[in-house]
Amino acid sequence: MKVSYSWLKDYLKCELTPQEIADAMTSIGIEVDSVEEQEEIPGGLEGVVVARVLTCEMHPDSDHLHITTVDDGSAEPVQVVCGAPNVAAGQKVLFARIGTVLPGDFKIKKSKIRGVESFGMICAEDELGIGASHDGIMVLPEDAVPGTPAKEFLGLKTEAVIEYEITANRVDAASHWGVARDLYAYLVARDIPCALVRPEAPEKISGEGKAIPVEVLDGEGAPLYSGITVRGVKVGPSPEWLQKKLLSIGHNPINNVVDISNFILFELGQPLHTFDADKIGGGKVIVRRAAEGEHIITLDGADRTLHANDVVIADADRAMCIAGVFGGNDSGVTEETVNVFIEGAYFDPGSIRKTSKTQVLQTDASFRYERGADPAMAFYAARRAAALILETAGGKICGNMVEVVSRPVEKALIPVNFDRIEAFIGKKIGHETIEKILKALQYEFVSGKDGDFVIAAPTYMVDVTRECDVVEEILRVYGYNNIELPVSMRISVNPSATPEPEAVRNNISNFLAANGFNEVMNNSLTKEEYYTSLKTFPAEACARLVNPLSSDLNVMRQTLLLSGLEVIAYNLNRQIPYLRIFEFGSVYRRLPEKDGRTLEGYEEHQNYSILMTGASPKEWRKGQEKSDFFQLKGYVDLLLKRYRIDASMMETDAAPSDIFSEGVTYTLPGQGQLLATFGVINPALAKKFGIRQSVCAAEISWPVLFTLIKRDKFSFKPLPRFPEVSRDLALLLDESVSYADLRKSALRSAKKLVREVSLFDVYRGDKIPAGKKQYAINFILQDPERTLTDADVEGAMGRILAAFQREFGAVLR
């Protein structure tokens, strides 16, 4: 947003410089981005000076060119070839020296015109951007002094423009008047001389004739609505003062009637709309909800379909305007307009926001209405607009101003105690200072005495309803920097959980980062379309937003994997084929209805996701390392092992096929709690994201993982004193037999001696029957009390082999 320094000072009379104004704005919570100096004419006519034509002769090779010499205040006269018919010796003119850049990015260079050198240009009005005439050069009064800069001679002004941003709750500062009002309180609190001058508006608007009647059928959507009928206006260019004000903040003038509406918007922060009164069918304005599926062609030429919750301004035949958002194409003011209807209203913020989002329309009007425009300004701004239209476009008021109040907007009454306010602030700033700031901000003291009051918050402060809100307003005006830190502070220290969740998360993130993974952060909002074809995460389980920003952000994510696929697709499209990423974030799910009737609510918890794709860059010492299922499984198991969680003890099952083409789930034994799901992403799912290479992914439930980590009790014991023994078995097994089952069986059969079991080879092929496979398994045996004998080892291995043969039909190779 922008405010013009000179425009701002129409309402705030003070001696602050533009930079001091900017510093004050930032201090009171209106963050300033920049302060720019804008010339009235771009470039400020730098290099253009007053000059005197010394001589003027006809060009020997032309019947319309003249060869002149001019005195531009330099030591020597300058020769210039000029084509203007009115140039003559003795004239005072405006002369552009070599190197000058005139409006339109026209640079003056040394030139030769029909054999005669020219060292500048004598200028006409249009060439300087100060008029439209090109009949001849601009002749100045005799008292003009050669060498005087054109900027000084013409009195061109430099305009300071302050660009700033506001937070969502500070729409009151989205205008020159709003900023001036806040700055006034800032200056009053510091006893700096100043005055606040409110823009003038007549207290009553009326005239002869009949005004266009108004019927409000939707009082909830339009609590306040007013209309003023003006007949006999002459639509044309705006006066210079109005054009300059709009141009100073980067807004192009259109015509006098429309420009007044825009001027009021940036002056008072109140959106207005002007209709061509002759285009109002039936001669009556109706404020109503749109019919579902009703159409309107808006000012941008788009044919828009309306919904039943959209408020529209209509006539007897059709919707003329989307209330508070955008005007209609066939009801607005044009050059042929003679009679106008001025609308000044306060619309329900929630209704305007819904319409703005569903119609994907963000306008200056909707920006203010949906954040809560000042209700008290609606009728006032309409009266001011009517007065300015009469001034700039002529015409006369017909009938009385129509005011429809469906729901009065009352000021919030807030009990406050000045001592308690000072306790909130943490400093005794004085009751007089508090009262001074509140009155400067236009709070009304309704009742009370001796520091206990009931105050009425001004209507422009839509979010001030409690005493703590009032404290915030006082603090930002008084200045947070003026609250000194105390010498000592008292705080209560709460014991943290052991282990500390944040520390564990950091350790996990550090582990993944150390193994080449990059952390990513994605939006918790995503598109419902992703879930329409998934069974594991069905669309009906999505937590939907009531007022989504767009169709791409209309539900909360149920899984981190889809967000990770978006990241991979984004990077693949930018020629980054090798990726290792992880994310820690929240997932959300709508719980199913109980017995088909009672909604159980929503669930939110955190997960870790790990995704890998592509092959590592080639290195001379080793080949490329491709991302595959077993590599991912190794990282998952190693992560669990760091916290003494034995992956082999987990119950396993196939991962859901709609997400993974092959994969595994880890579930806590006997409890059914899902710890992790990992595998190779289903190519059909990857293709929906534009991914055509293999992606391996894992998702780990943080609550389940942290529960396991909390259960583990670390203990320490000395290194074993007696040697370990290693034995291998080569076994022929059915394809259905898993290594995990074999490991569990071995640990049961010789649990006192078996310390480690590991699979080091899997073979299928020659001399292996169909439906069979060969496992080569290594066993580490050790007794902490003594050295194992051959009999001990053979006995243990015999029990293990017998168990394998009995339980799995294993054949020793």
Side-chain angles (χ1 to χ4, degrees):
M1 292 190 173
K2 294 180 179 180
V3 290
S4 158
Y5 174 71
S6 62
W7 190 351
L8 188 67
K9 292 194 71 176
D10 288 346
Y11 320 117
L12 181 67
K13 305 300 181 183
C14 67
E15 300 300 322
L16 269 62
T17 65
Q19 188 57 55
E20 289 172 335
I21 290 283
D23 292 342
M25 288 172 64
T26 299
S27 176
I28 56 179
I30 308 172
E31 185 177 355
V32 171
D33 291 332
S34 64
V35 180
E36 296 180 359
E37 297 287 339
Q38 294 184 357
E39 302 286 352
E40 188 173 341
I41 296 175
L45 298 182
E46 185 71 30
V48 180
V49 297
V50 174
R52 181 170 180 268
V53 181
L54 301 176
T55 64
C56 180
E57 301 175 356
M58 291 297 298
H59 194 294
D61 293 331
S62 173
D63 58 357
H64 69 280
L65 295 176
H66 298 84
I67 301 172
T68 67
T69 56
V70 299
D71 172 17
D72 65 348
S74 303
E76 298 292 334
V78 181
Q79 179 174 281
V80 180
V81 177
C82 178
N86 64 329
V87 64
Q91 291 174 334
K92 299 289 180 67
V93 296
L94 288 176
F95 171 66
R97 292 168 172 164
I98 291 175
T100 299
V101 179
L102 295 178
D105 203 28
F106 179 66
K107 187 173 183 178
I108 304 300
K109 300 177 182 178
K110 176 184 175 182
S111 60
K112 184 175 286 189
I113 302 175
R114 296 197 181 184
V116 179
E117 289 186 322
S118 180
F119 299 91
M121 185 173 81
I122 303 173
C123 302
E125 284 184 4
D126 63 334
E127 292 165 336
L128 296 173
I130 57 177
S133 174
H134 195 70
D135 295 336
I137 60 172
M138 186 176 178
V139 180
L140 307 181
E142 271 297 318
D143 59 355
V145 179
T148 303
K151 179 179 180 179
E152 178 184 330
F153 178 80
L154 296 172
L156 299 181
K157 296 180 181 179
T158 299
E159 176 66 81
V161 175
I162 301 169
E163 189 165 357
Y164 67 99
E165 294 180 0
I166 60 171
T167 53
N169 66 324
R170 291 303 315 277
V171 72
D172 60 285
S175 66
H176 286 75
W177 170 248
V179 173
R181 182 174 51 205
D182 252 24
L183 287 170
Y184 172 72
Y186 171 88
L187 297 175
V188 167
R190 287 155 181 78
D191 295 323
I192 299 174
C194 62
L196 187 65
V197 181
R198 193 183 192 194
E200 293 182 358
E203 292 186 6
K204 185 178 180 181
I205 288 285
S206 63
E208 296 181 356
K210 185 179 179 182
I212 294 175
V214 173
E215 182 180 7
V216 177
L217 300 178
D218 180 25
E220 288 298 316
L224 305 176
Y225 193 88
S226 68
I228 300 174
T229 305
V230 183
R231 300 191 182 277
V233 301
K234 184 177 181 180
V235 178
S238 296
E240 184 180 0
W241 68 266
L242 180 54
Q243 292 193 38
K244 283 186 175 181
K245 285 189 183 298
L246 294 176
L247 286 169
S248 69
I249 57 171
H251 200 89
N252 291 324
I254 299 173
N255 60 56
N256 46 9
V257 175
V258 174
D259 288 349
I260 289 298
S261 296
N262 291 328
F263 172 76
I264 296 293
L265 175 71
F266 297 114
E267 180 190 48
L268 299 176
Q270 172 63 41
L272 299 174
H273 191 71
T274 49
F275 297 89
D276 187 324
D278 295 327
K279 296 177 182 178
I280 300 175
K284 182 179 182 180
V285 172
I286 304 170
V287 184
R288 60 173 172 83
R289 295 280 174 170
E292 186 67 36
E294 185 175 0
H295 285 261
I296 183 174
I297 297 177
T298 47
L299 286 170
D300 57 358
D303 186 350
R304 300 184 184 275
T305 302
L306 301 173
H307 304 286
N309 62 346
D310 297 332
V311 181
V312 296
I313 312 302
D315 60 15
D317 305 317
R318 87 290 192 209
M320 299 187 294
C321 168
I322 304 177
V325 180
F326 211 26
N329 194 44
D330 57 352
S331 61
V333 173
T334 65
E335 300 297 326
E336 289 74 35
T337 297
V338 177
N339 305 313
V340 298
F341 177 82
I342 305 169
E343 168 195 276
Y346 170 73
F347 296 111
D348 175 63
S351 176
I352 298 300
R353 178 171 174 79
K354 287 180 183 178
T355 299
S356 175
K357 298 309 176 187
T358 55
Q359 296 293 338
V360 196
L361 271 174
Q362 179 74 61
T363 61
D364 286 327
S366 68
F367 178 86
R368 288 159 175 81
Y369 276 131
E370 68 186 29
R371 286 163 174 78
D374 182 3
M377 196 59 72
F379 296 169
Y380 180 86
R383 295 197 303 271
R384 176 159 172 78
L388 290 174
I389 286 175
L390 294 179
E391 177 186 325
T392 60
K396 62 178 182 178
I397 303 294
C398 285
N400 294 325
M401 176 179 178
V402 180
E403 299 180 4
V404 180
V405 180
S406 302
R407 189 181 77 233
V409 179
E410 299 179 354
K411 295 182 178 181
L413 298 179
I414 307 169
V416 296
N417 176 273
F418 284 3
D419 290 333
R420 192 164 54 239
I421 287 175
E422 289 183 325
F424 266 121
I425 293 173
K427 177 182 178 180
K428 291 188 177 296
I429 64 174
H431 290 194
E432 290 183 0
T433 301
I434 295 173
E435 186 173 348
K436 184 191 300 183
I437 291 173
L438 291 176
K439 287 182 176 179
L441 289 171
Q442 299 179 0
Y443 282 82
E444 179 185 348
F445 284 75
V446 178
S447 63
K449 61 179 181 178
D450 299 331
D452 275 304
F453 296 96
V454 174
I455 60 174
T459 53
Y460 71 82
M461 289 188 172
V462 294
D463 65 334
V464 177
T465 57
R466 303 166 299 170
E467 186 179 50
C468 56
D469 300 327
V470 177
V471 174
E472 183 182 353
E473 294 300 309
I474 294 170
L475 255 178
R476 70 178 181 83
V477 173
Y478 181 78
Y480 286 95
N481 293 337
N482 293 326
I483 307 299
E484 300 84 2
L485 288 175
V487 177
S488 62
M489 298 180 68
R490 296 179 181 180
I491 59 173
S492 58
V493 180
N494 296 320
S496 59
T498 305
E500 188 179 350
E502 185 67 28
V504 174
R505 287 198 296 268
N506 286 337
N507 286 336
I508 293 174
S509 298
N510 290 338
F511 164 77
L512 293 170
N515 281 279
F517 289 86
N518 292 307
E519 185 171 10
V520 299
M521 297 177 68
N522 289 297
N523 197 337
S524 294
L525 301 177
T526 185
K527 60 172 70 175
E528 186 177 8
E529 181 186 341
Y530 286 158
Y531 299 94
T532 53
S533 60
L534 298 181
K535 294 181 180 178
T536 308
F537 305 107
E540 54 268 23
C542 287
R544 293 178 176 82
L545 272 68
V546 176
N547 297 314
L549 295 172
S550 71
S551 58
D552 288 340
L553 300 170
N554 58 354
V555 298
M556 309 294 283
R557 60 185 177 185
Q558 294 187 56
T559 173
L560 302 182
L561 297 181
L562 302 184
S563 301
L565 291 176
E566 285 184 327
V567 174
I568 287 177
Y570 182 88
N571 283 270
L572 289 178
N573 290 336
R574 285 154 183 79
Q575 289 76 51
I576 305 175
Y578 177 63
L579 285 169
R580 291 184 173 193
I581 60 173
F582 74 94
E583 179 178 10
F584 177 82
S586 294
V587 294
Y588 311 83
R589 186 168 66 96
R590 183 179 182 177
L591 298 177
E593 295 183 356
K594 188 176 181 180
D595 301 327
R597 294 189 303 274
T598 306
L599 187 65
E600 291 292 299
Y602 297 88
E603 177 191 42
E604 173 187 355
H605 68 270
Q606 289 75 42
N607 283 351
Y608 266 102
S609 67
I610 305 171
L611 292 95
M612 304 166 55
T613 188
S616 63
K618 293 181 180 179
E619 294 187 21
W620 68 272
R621 291 180 295 122
K622 61 179 181 179
Q624 285 185 303
E625 188 179 80
K626 293 185 178 180
S627 303
D628 59 26
F629 169 79
F630 292 103
Q631 191 179 42
L632 175 65
K633 181 179 183 299
Y635 285 121
V636 173
D637 289 353
L638 187 57
L639 172 59
L640 298 178
K641 187 176 180 180
R642 283 176 63 88
Y643 294 98
R644 294 163 52 89
I645 300 171
D646 190 348
S648 66
M649 301 305 294
M650 296 293 159
E651 293 180 358
T652 60
D653 200 353
S657 60
D658 57 339
I659 305 294
F660 300 96
S661 58
E662 56 177 318
V664 176
T665 62
Y666 282 170
T667 306
L668 300 193
Q671 301 180 41
Q673 287 184 288
L674 182 63
L675 171 63
T677 306
F678 56 93
V680 180
I681 293 293
N682 191 317
L685 178 60
K687 189 176 180 180
K688 291 181 179 180
F689 291 84
I691 301 171
R692 303 190 181 278
Q693 65 186 48
S694 177
V695 178
C696 299
E699 188 161 28
I700 303 171
S701 171
W702 166 250
V704 179
L705 176 61
F706 189 63
T707 299
L708 293 176
I709 294 172
K710 287 194 295 183
R711 288 179 187 173
D712 184 49
K713 303 299 181 183
F714 285 94
S715 60
F716 299 90
K717 58 185 178 181
L719 291 171
R721 294 163 52 197
F722 302 99
E724 62 185 30
V725 178
S726 176
R727 289 288 187 272
D728 296 336
L729 288 179
L731 304 169
L732 186 65
L733 300 157
D734 290 338
E735 281 285 2
S736 60
V737 178
S738 69
Y739 162 69
D741 291 336
L742 291 170
R743 187 177 186 277
K744 292 176 184 177
S745 178
L747 293 173
R748 283 197 308 269
S749 302
K751 61 182 178 182
K752 291 185 178 181
L753 297 183
V754 176
R755 190 162 63 86
E756 290 183 21
V757 182
S758 58
L759 176 67
F760 65 88
D761 186 52
V762 179
Y763 177 70
R764 298 176 180 86
D766 189 31
K767 297 182 182 180
I768 301 296
K772 299 285 186 177
K773 60 186 175 183
Q774 178 182 290
Y775 273 1
I777 305 176
N778 175 255
F779 301 86
I780 302 296
L781 297 90
Q782 190 177 47
D783 191 321
E785 304 294 335
R786 60 188 178 88
T787 300
L788 291 175
T789 64
D790 288 343
D792 295 330
V793 175
E794 295 304 324
M797 294 303 298
R799 292 193 299 275
I800 292 172
L801 179 58
F804 287 173
Q805 292 171 337
R806 182 177 63 254
E807 297 175 19
F808 309 109
V811 177
L812 183 64
R813 297 279 288 177

